[in-house]
Amino acid sequence: MERLGTGIGWRPEIADAVEGMPGVDWVEAVAENVCPGHLPASLLRLRERGVTVVPHGVSLGLGGAERPDEGRLRALAERAQALGSPLVTEHIAFVRAGGSLTASDRIEAGHLLPVPRTREALDVLCENVRIAQQALPVPLAVENIAALLAWPGEELTEGQFLYELADRTGVRLLIDVANLHTNHVNQAEDPAIALAELPLEALAYVHVAGGYERDGVWHDSHAHPVAAPVLDILTDLASRVAPPGVLLERDENFPEPAVLARELEAVREAVERGRAGAPARGRTGGPECGRDGGAGSGPDGGGARGRAGDEPVAAVPEPVRQRLALAQTALLSALVAGTPAPEGFDGGRLGVQARALASKRAGVVAKVAPELPVILGAGYRPAFLAYAQEHPMRGGYRLDAMAFAESLLLAEEPQDATARRELRAWWRERSGPAPRSRRPAVRAVRAARRVLLGR
């Protein structure tokens, strides 16, 4: 595996700070926020200086019941090629549900949700990963996620689940130590046990990020300083294996560049403590360590299964995918559409997760459509949260913003005439002409909308 060194997540808000920060060996950019034909000038300058750029995907949904979308895979591949990246990364998560497998409307989570650690879900994930490997021009690494809730009836620990995944597919692992801490607080999972069970020869690099605890629940916010327990987990990991790369993530609430530089230095120091504190223990866990796929033959780039992308993909039976689809749809519907909690889930934790999803959704819509909070003022957030309770997200955040504005206008909101006029102008400017339908019912609905929305 290529040695990456110490890096930081590149975001447009801190682009200048990242360029001027000493000791940054590489950066990671959110893949969906980068256009291959119009790369940000900051990333181009970093590339010219020899700084490695890794695209980090967030929307592929490899842990979902459906096979990976060809268009999303093609887009991820294009970004890797445009940036000259040595690998691409994604998450072990599902991000949408519904669709043809459940004969229901597709709904989006707008968030990374945990995959049940069952044998069937693992089979689906392995096939999805292998499909992605075959479609990508560079190796793939997948990241463990933070979770506020746990699936009932799980058959594997996190470490066992990741071990099996890497062993069966040759995929590399992006280990987020902040997520291990999150799962320790929220699910009582021991991060040391998880590290002991991991195939550390599969490690691509490590994520470190901040969060906060509220009412006994840890929120992986990426908007707060890195907590000491997270750095301790990083030190433990570094005592077991020399990480090829370590990266500090920060997605919002950006501090001054000097504060970011100090956080990056704390990350370096944590790694050095691990290297100095104990001899590297190498691979210390994982079931049947001596079997095929052990050290030297795993996904470290030097083994026979380093990419596993040219081998045939074993198809998972459709009933298996359908069972997973139904389970994931039931959970996501409870989180974003107010349907009853599926059997076996903690209702309190589901409520915490549902509120967190709605809050995140409101925040992201405010970013992609910053005019809406300006037009609606203090009423934006309560109006959006009320909207989110009855309207699951069906597409991306920009479509969500449009649908939210349309719902307000159809309800003759906001009550302030000036704000309503500004909102109508904003919506009309972005909606564009809609294609005419030959169906009478559709034409009647659109005619009513034109009247209500002043089109």
Side-chain angles (χ1 to χ4, degrees):
M1 177 62 208
E2 177 175 328
R3 306 298 299 184
L4 294 168
T6 303
I8 189 169
W10 182 91
R11 304 292 184 267
E13 297 89 338
I14 55 171
D16 292 342
V18 170
E19 284 191 65
M21 198 174 295
V24 172
D25 302 310
W26 65 291
V27 300
E28 183 188 76
V30 177
E32 289 78 0
N33 294 343
V34 175
C35 179
H38 304 279
L39 293 176
S42 174
L43 286 181
L44 291 175
R45 288 192 293 269
L46 289 169
R47 288 285 299 128
E48 290 171 358
R49 284 166 38 187
V51 175
T52 298
V53 181
V54 174
H56 185 53
V58 297
S59 65
L60 197 53
L62 289 171
E66 294 188 338
R67 291 172 178 81
D69 179 78
E70 292 182 4
R72 295 179 189 276
L73 283 173
R74 187 164 52 250
L76 192 55
E78 289 171 352
R79 282 148 180 79
Q81 291 173 321
L83 293 167
S85 306
L87 78 164
V88 296
T89 57
E90 248 289 351
H91 297 84
I92 302 169
F94 79 99
V95 297
R96 61 188 63 87
S100 59
L101 286 170
T102 60
S104 62
D105 291 338
R106 191 182 306 280
I107 50 177
E108 297 278 343
H111 190 69
L112 303 166
L113 293 175
V115 176
R117 297 180 200 144
T118 62
R119 293 290 176 185
E120 285 195 345
L122 179 61
D123 289 343
V124 171
L125 175 63
C126 286
E127 183 183 350
N128 288 351
V129 165
R130 296 289 293 279
I131 291 171
Q133 286 173 314
Q134 291 184 350
L136 295 169
V138 294
L140 169 70
V142 291
E143 179 182 357
N144 60 305
I145 71 163
L148 291 178
L149 51 87
W151 285 82
E154 292 193 318
E155 300 164 348
L156 300 165
T157 66
E158 179 163 34
Q160 291 167 343
F161 193 81
L162 295 177
Y163 181 96
E164 291 272 350
L165 173 64
D167 187 51
R168 289 170 57 178
T169 66
V171 75
R172 298 172 181 179
L173 298 179
L174 162 50
I175 298 303
D176 191 316
V177 292
N179 292 348
L180 292 180
H181 175 66
T182 301
N183 296 343
H184 169 61
V185 176
N186 295 346
Q187 313 295 344
E189 297 178 356
D190 189 336
I193 293 177
L195 288 177
E197 292 176 335
L198 291 176
L200 293 177
E201 79 281 356
L203 184 64
Y205 60 89
V206 180
H207 269 176
V208 184
Y212 66 94
E213 187 171 352
R214 178 183 295 163
D215 299 329
V217 175
W218 186 267
H219 296 267
D220 179 47
S221 67
H222 290 199
H224 294 77
V226 178
V230 173
L231 293 175
D232 290 341
I233 298 172
L234 176 60
T235 296
D236 186 6
L237 184 149
S239 74
R240 300 168 185 267
V241 66
V246 181
L247 182 125
L248 173 66
E249 284 190 296
R250 188 83 173 219
D251 290 332
E252 56 185 333
N253 191 27
F254 299 103
E256 293 297 318
V259 176
L260 273 179
R262 286 196 295 271
E263 284 208 331
L264 204 58
E265 184 57 32
V267 169
R268 291 192 189 94
E269 292 172 356
V271 172
E272 289 304 318
R273 284 196 301 272
R275 290 175 177 170
R281 285 173 275 180
R283 190 147 174 269
T284 59
E288 304 175 35
C289 290
R291 69 181 174 182
D292 178 43
S297 63
D300 58 354
R305 296 185 300 120
R307 283 212 40 214
D310 297 325
E311 301 173 21
V313 177
V316 174
E318 285 304 296
V320 172
R321 286 188 176 272
Q322 188 173 45
R323 283 194 292 271
L324 180 61
L326 290 169
Q328 291 180 336
T329 301
L331 174 58
L332 186 51
S333 295
L335 291 173
V336 302
T339 58
E343 184 178 357
F345 280 94
D346 183 323
R349 283 296 172 89
L350 282 182
V352 172
Q353 180 74 85
R355 290 189 292 274
L357 289 178
S359 178
K360 176 183 178 181
R361 188 175 161 193
V364 177
V365 166
K367 284 185 176 180
V368 302
E371 302 86 356
L372 293 179
V374 174
I375 294 170
L376 300 174
Y380 164 74
R381 192 169 187 84
F384 188 89
L385 293 178
Y387 160 82
Q389 289 180 351
E390 299 181 359
H391 300 84
M393 188 161 62
R394 304 292 184 185
Y397 284 107
R398 286 179 174 80
L399 290 177
D400 204 24
M402 293 293 295
F404 167 58
E406 181 176 336
S407 73
L408 288 179
L409 293 170
L410 290 171
E412 299 187 5
E413 295 286 345
Q415 294 185 1
D416 180 81
T418 301
R420 190 164 61 251
R421 187 165 52 251
E422 291 177 355
L423 182 63
R424 183 182 295 110
W426 180 89
W427 184 87
R428 292 180 64 182
E429 182 180 344
R430 288 157 181 79
S431 62
R436 294 182 179 274
S437 172
R438 295 184 179 181
R439 296 171 57 190
V442 174
R443 296 180 67 177
V445 169
R446 286 184 174 166
R449 283 184 175 178
R450 284 196 296 272
V451 172
L452 288 171
L453 299 174
R455 295 192 69 185

